[in-house]
Amino acid sequence: MYSVPKLEHYSPESLDHVVADLLAALDAETVVLRNDADWKAFRDRWLARKNGVLTLVNETWLKAAPGPAKREVGRRVNELKARVEAAIGDAHNKIHASSADALLAAERLDITLPGIQRPIGVKHPVLRVMDEIVAVFKAMGYSVGEGPEVETDYYNFESLNFPPNHPARDTQDTLLIAGQEHKPSRDRLLLRTHTSPVQIRTMEKQPPPLRIVIPGKVHRNDPLDATHSPIFHQVEGLAVDTNITFCDLKGTLDHAMKALFGSSVKTRFYPSFFPFTEPSADMQVSCIFCGGKGCRKCKNSGWIELLGCGMVDPNVFDFVKDNGYDSSKISGFAFGMGVERIAMLKYEVEGIQLFYEGDVRFLEQFA
Ligand code: PHE
């Protein structure tokens, strides 16, 4: 630490000389200041009331100076004081500016680094085919409806003309929700086994005429094998108007199959049974693999069974009579198709489980 010498000579030259020494000491100290603690020590050394350099200068120089020299000494002490204060102020600014620089430097980002590449996802093939089927019917003027996956016995069975305890219920291996025994049977909850309950739900809300497709997930107590899954997807269709005939059903589905599989595909209709359609049919398409000649895929028949359909049973309309569905005035057709089955045919997928395993190598083929 710099000590303040006693003055022996008061000539301007010797006064300038001691002041210059002090300023040199001040400069030398400012160079080595690194942080706030350094700066505080520096400030106190020069400005402290007790034993600070300026205090000592006041006492040993100014107070001790003989009368005639006081003016010259006083001028230099004031000058010195101004220089010391300026140096302390500058040093403060420098330390704080450099710590702000350090903060900025620590937060520096190199925006020229390449980012993390995330592969772009694609629509799942089941969804894609479902959307494709829906689009074919939208183009024919159909609107799209939805309904709940947890259904009541009433909508899934009773209103579709499956009477309680009717054996036709056994064709749908239903997953029932437990603990419903206290409820009347029509209110008991189950996982819908088909999208057909949305037929009734839609007709309750909307009077005829009606043209609607209903895409959705359905559940059955089926063990998983190459072509069955306990959860799968269907697209249901319903058209109700005056004078709807079986011809309309055939023409509509034939057009839809040509839109989905190409214009050379043929359709045929075989008698079948569903409680909610009369007459009922299974629709088959000419084998899309062999063109109808017969191959392993179509078991040499040349045909592949694809969906269930039929004319809406008048008993079904009776459940929504109050909303304008008078079966003596209107008629309609309905159909239901499995989306996975159509997707498997379209993309030649060998096992249904491939759709659910989430294997990227399988899914990225649909990109
Ligand atoms: N709901 C029937 C099923 O899942 C398919 C179907 C729908 C049949 C509409 C006729 C009319 O098997």
Side-chain angles (χ1 to χ4, degrees), residues 117-123 360 363-364 366-367:
Q117 296 244 358
R118 293 184 198 287
I120 296 173
V122 291
K123 210 180 261 180
V360 177
L363 295 172
E364 71 191 358
F366 301 91

Side-chain angles (χ1 to χ4, degrees), residues 125-126 129 225-228 261 288-289 297 338-356 362 366:
V126 169
V129 170
D225 65 23
T227 54
H228 295 85
F261 293 110
I288 53 162
F289 302 105
K297 294 263 173 58
V339 179
E340 279 83 344
R341 187 158 166 67
I342 292 176
M344 286 171 80
L345 290 176
K346 260 184 92 92
Y347 295 111
E348 301 188 29
V349 174
E350 298 277 337
I352 198 170
Q353 76 285 351
L354 285 161
F355 290 128
Y356 313 121
F362 171 72
F366 301 91

Side-chain angles (χ1 to χ4, degrees), residues 10-251:
Y10 291 95
S11 69
E13 295 77 33
S14 63
L15 285 177
D16 286 345
H17 188 74
V18 288
V19 167
D21 279 355
L22 263 187
L23 288 175
L26 182 74
D27 281 350
E29 277 194 53
T30 57
V31 176
V32 297
L33 300 178
R34 290 277 169 266
N35 51 40
D36 221 39
D38 287 354
W39 175 80
K40 280 189 175 133
F42 170 64
R43 178 197 59 189
D44 294 346
R45 200 151 53 243
W46 288 82
L47 291 184
R49 247 166 237 267
K50 217 177 139 196
N51 293 327
V53 175
L54 286 184
T55 304
L56 296 176
V57 162
N58 250 329
E59 279 163 10
T60 46
W61 291 2
L62 197 58
K63 285 193 183 145
K70 273 214 196 310
R71 227 178 86 102
E72 281 294 300
V73 176
R75 195 170 63 77
R76 285 179 174 75
V77 169
N78 282 339
E79 214 180 281
L80 189 65
K81 190 172 170 223
R83 294 285 293 272
V84 168
E85 278 168 356
I88 288 172
D90 287 351
H92 186 263
N93 289 342
K94 226 170 110 187
I95 282 168
H96 285 264
S98 67
S99 66
D101 283 349
L103 271 178
L104 287 176
E107 286 178 14
R108 198 183 136 83
L109 289 176
D110 184 352
I111 58 168
T112 66
L113 280 174
I116 299 164
Q117 296 244 358
R118 293 184 198 287
I120 296 173
V122 291
K123 210 180 261 180
H124 190 280
V126 169
L127 254 189
R128 179 161 146 181
V129 170
M130 192 147 89
D131 285 352
E132 223 177 294
I133 299 167
V134 167
V136 167
F137 287 95
K138 267 188 173 170
M140 289 192 269
Y142 284 63
S143 50
V144 182
E146 270 185 333
E149 276 174 53
V150 178
E151 235 343 329
T152 60
D153 184 279
Y154 176 76
Y155 286 111
N156 197 79
F157 290 125
E158 208 176 314
S159 66
L160 289 170
N161 201 31
F162 291 81
N165 305 317
H166 192 281
R169 289 178 177 227
D170 293 347
T171 62
Q172 312 232 347
D173 304 296
T174 313
L175 292 161
L176 299 160
I177 302 224
Q180 305 277 307
E181 294 76 11
H182 61 285
K183 291 184 180 170
S185 103
R186 53 164 28 210
D187 293 339
R188 291 183 194 169
L189 297 174
L190 46 84
L191 298 181
R192 70 177 178 194
T193 56
H194 49 180
T195 40
S196 301
V198 193
Q199 288 188 25
I200 293 285
R201 287 185 172 275
T202 309
M203 289 192 283
E204 282 179 346
K205 280 186 287 192
Q206 240 176 284
L210 187 75
R211 277 167 185 71
I212 191 163
V213 276
I214 303 136
K217 200 177 276 174
V218 300
H219 306 251
R220 291 189 194 176
N221 187 20
D222 274 343
L224 187 71
D225 65 23
T227 54
H228 295 85
S229 156
I231 303 175
F232 62 104
H233 299 79
Q234 288 188 330
V235 175
E236 186 86 11
L238 173 67
V240 184
D241 207 335
T242 49
N243 299 320
I244 297 254
T245 67
F246 202 87
C247 272
D248 297 314
L249 167 61
K250 286 181 76 174

